[in-house]
Amino acid sequence: VLLVGLLVIVGIGVKLYDLKRKREAEGVHLQPQVSDALLRDPNLFGLPVTPTAHVPWWSGTPARLEVIGRVPEPELRDRVLQLVEREAKQIRPDVVVVDRLQLDTMVRARVA
């Protein structure tokens, strides 16, 4: 009985580790895909904007993609968020985009 209980505990541990590894791989796939999309857009290239993916362990819970950085004008902020959401939804339809962008008029002068 003790041996069977130990095998069950080990089996559960292996399954949880596999689930964690699988979710981390999804996050690793999501984050660079969105970053590349931001780099491909000539109007957004050079802006200090970083997407960070957080994928929870449980499969029914949506992934969270935080967009952090500074943009010089509200129109670019909207464009960044639309692009991020469009790219993220292609990879994982249950993504929630969290806007952590700040308006900073000095950004474009430093980037240009």
Side-chain angles (χ1 to χ4, degrees):
V1 174
L2 185 61
L3 183 60
V4 170
L6 187 58
L7 286 175
V8 168
I9 291 173
V10 168
I12 290 171
V14 167
K15 276 296 208 186
L16 287 175
Y17 176 75
D18 185 49
L19 181 63
K20 179 183 177 208
R21 188 182 53 78
K22 186 176 176 183
R23 297 294 177 218
E24 285 175 354
E26 288 178 15
V28 166
H29 178 68
L30 179 64
Q31 192 169 316
Q33 194 78 13
V34 173
S35 292
D36 287 347
L38 289 169
L39 290 174
R40 285 191 305 263
D41 190 320
N43 295 323
L44 304 176
F45 182 80
L47 288 177
V49 174
T50 305
T52 305
H54 303 280
V55 182
W57 280 32
W58 309 115
S59 59
T61 310
R64 195 174 86 235
L65 188 65
E66 289 185 5
V67 184
I68 302 167
R70 297 185 315 263
V71 292
E73 49 196 55
E75 294 81 20
L76 284 177
R77 175 191 209 139
D78 294 339
R79 188 171 182 151
V80 165
L81 292 174
Q82 288 172 356
L83 179 76
V84 166
E85 188 153 351
R86 185 176 61 242
E87 282 292 320
K89 297 276 183 192
Q90 289 178 358
I91 298 166
R92 190 176 163 133
D94 65 342
V95 173
V96 174
V97 176
V98 179
D99 175 12
R100 301 233 190 269
L101 293 173
Q102 299 174 352
L103 292 176
D104 183 357
T105 56
M106 297 302 292
V107 170
R108 186 57 81 181
R110 284 180 268 174
V111 171

